[in-house]
């Protein structure tokens, strides 16, 4: 596995570890309480771009992203799923898979944009199941 000492995704999990596989790991981000159903698929080897992967690796990566999206759609019935791979701040390949709701603090703005409202009681309380159950469903779908 290629790693870079200065890369935060090489030196730590990058969030709450949900599942680790040989080629990738899935974490749930705990950085922002406004988006409790915010997952990242992080490629284990240090590569910056999706095109750095071999064709079979790209297929494996996207299949995992799709499975995470499917679990979030089925379990939460969000208004939208946001998928993104930016890497401008951390140039280590990772995909954001974020369940979005018309009631969330930023909707329809991006999660990195300006908030539009407060969510009374907090976003996590509005989810139809506890995060530990959601994490379990994500992990089961990826095995």
């Amino acid at each position: 596995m290629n790693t870079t000492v200065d890369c935060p995704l090489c030196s730590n999990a990058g969030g709450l570890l949900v599942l680790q596989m040989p080629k990738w790991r899935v974490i749930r981000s705990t950085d922002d309480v406004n988006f409790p159903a915010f997952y990242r698929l992080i490629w284990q080897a240090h590569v910056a771009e999706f095109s750095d992967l071999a064709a079979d690796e790209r297929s494996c990566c996207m299949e995992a992203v799709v499975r995470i999206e499917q679990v979030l759609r089925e379990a939460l019935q969000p208004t939208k799923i946001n998928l993104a791979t930016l890497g401008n701040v951390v140039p280590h390949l990772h995909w954001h898979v974020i369940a979005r709701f018309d009631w969330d603090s930023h909707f329809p703005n991006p999660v990195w944009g300006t908030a539009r409202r407060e969510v009374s009681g907090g976003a996590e309380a509005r989810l139809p199941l506890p995060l530990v159950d959601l994490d379990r469903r994500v992990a089961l779908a990826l095995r």
Side-chain angles (χ1 to χ4, degrees), residues 106-118:
H106 288 55
F107 197 86
N109 290 351
V111 297
W112 299 284
T114 303
R116 298 174 59 102
R117 68 192 62 79
E118 290 287 323

Side-chain angles (χ1 to χ4, degrees), residues 4-27:
T4 302
V5 175
D6 296 336
C7 174
L9 295 180
C10 286
S11 60
N12 67 67
L16 177 72
L17 186 63
V18 173
L19 180 68
Q20 184 158 319
M21 301 298 276
K23 293 190 178 277
W24 47 260
R25 67 186 176 273
V26 174
I27 64 93

